Amino acid sequence: MSNHQPRSTGEVQAHRGASAVAPENTIAAFRAAHDQGARWVELDVALLADGTPVVIHDVTLDRTTNGKGPLGQLVAADLTRLDAGSWFDPQFAGEKLSTLPQMLEALGELGLNVNVEIKQHEHHKSLAQLTETVHHCLQNRPSGVDVMISSFDAECLKAMHRLDPSYELAMLWSELPPDWLDRVAAIPAGAIHLHYRALSFNVLDRARENGLIVRCWTCNDPAQMAPFWEAGLGGVITDDPRLFL
Ligand code: G3P
Ligand code: MG
């Protein structure tokens, strides 16, 4: 493989699954990622009103299901009546939203590793409820599923570190704040996940000097990342892993 592509499949993460070809954050999307040769997937997790951890990106159902309304008005039993596939394509009709434990089981069967992006929403009762729930699910995941945890919320990552210092943590940013190295050290995180448009050779140099991994999201054009692999880019999070594999 040339220096203008990822060095290994481990550097390519399927964003919400292979969400270019299947409905995001559903088992169908993660199966598609597996079929494309991905070894890692990224998913989003948040809590329902009853504390159930559900795999979904938005704080409402409206965009990615046939339901309406905020997650904060739902309980686990509501998940069974929702169709999370038809909005994408009729061939995915009946695809369900999954709880985090259900999804971890499915990923175990597919042999996939997972970047769990924890979403912090206003309806969550507390940071402790959110992080302890995710931690409990991860502790009970199938063996063989490797995990990293990412979040736009540094407090969330700090809480996960307190629960288990061995977690691999990644701070998410759209743009880097000036004091990004201090903020990463305060978590402490071993990686940053940065919007691909904010990536630069300078960032990669400073990350390397500080022993940090840099991955970028959400990039669906390998040509845009090509110059950065040789400079130390650690991974890409993409809707379309087949483009990078
Ligand atoms: O983990 C990278 C990416 O998922 C962050 O943004 O909004 O797609 O969850 P978003
Ligand atoms: Mg995400």
Side-chain angles (χ1 to χ4, degrees):
M1 193 171 275
S2 82
N3 287 332
H4 300 295
Q5 282 285 306
R7 288 174 300 263
S8 77
T9 55
E11 295 175 350
V12 179
Q13 298 189 4
H15 180 239
R16 313 178 194 174
S19 55
V21 300
E24 65 181 57
N25 280 321
T26 65
I27 291 174
F30 297 116
R31 189 180 301 117
H34 166 267
D35 292 348
Q36 291 185 12
R39 288 176 43 217
W40 280 86
V41 295
E42 184 260 9
L43 61 75
D44 307 289
V45 65
L47 303 183
L48 303 181
D50 63 353
T52 301
V54 65
V55 178
I56 187 170
H57 178 273
D58 297 0
V59 71
T60 64
L61 297 172
D62 302 43
R63 183 178 61 86
T64 60
T65 77
N66 63 345
K68 285 199 182 307
L71 302 183
Q73 291 179 5
L74 295 178
V75 294
D78 296 317
L79 296 179
T80 56
R81 67 176 167 77
L82 294 168
D83 177 336
S86 295
W87 70 274
F88 187 85
D89 189 287
Q91 70 173 294
F92 295 106
E95 200 64 36
K96 296 295 179 200
L97 292 180
S98 295
T99 65
L100 184 56
Q102 288 168 343
M103 191 59 85
L104 290 168
E105 283 299 318
L107 297 181
E109 287 168 17
L110 290 167
L112 289 166
N113 304 308
V114 63
N115 167 6
V116 175
E117 186 197 334
I118 304 177
K119 294 291 190 193
Q120 176 62 293
H121 297 310
E122 281 183 10
H123 71 264
H124 291 155
K125 288 194 175 71
S126 68
L127 180 65
Q129 183 199 27
L130 174 64
T131 52
E132 285 168 17
T133 299
V134 172
H135 176 55
H136 177 76
C137 297
L138 294 179
Q139 280 184 307
N140 292 290
R141 72 186 185 273
S143 61
V145 177
D146 284 344
V147 168
M148 67 178 72
I149 297 163
S150 59
S151 184
F152 286 100
D153 185 332
E155 296 309 312
C156 197
L157 296 179
K158 288 177 186 174
M160 293 305 290
H161 178 77
R162 285 193 294 273
L163 288 164
D164 184 345
S166 73
Y167 278 134
E168 189 179 335
L169 303 177
M171 184 67 204
L172 270 163
W173 275 301
S174 302
E175 294 177 10
L176 278 181
D179 57 347
W180 65 279
L181 284 168
D182 291 339
R183 293 198 200 198
V184 168
I187 292 169
I192 62 167
H193 290 177
L194 185 60
H195 192 275
Y196 74 94
R197 287 199 198 92
L199 188 59
S200 69
F201 293 110
N202 181 259
V203 170
L204 290 171
D205 285 348
R206 298 199 66 198
R208 186 170 44 214
E209 287 160 13
N210 287 274
L212 298 170
I213 296 167
V214 180
R215 301 185 186 90
C216 64
W217 52 276
T218 299
C219 185
N220 299 322
D221 180 359
Q224 288 176 308
M225 290 302 103
F228 295 114
W229 293 112
E230 209 169 346
L233 179 63
V236 63
I237 301 167
T238 176
D239 298 325
D240 211 351
R242 65 195 159 170
L243 298 175
F244 290 87
L245 291 169

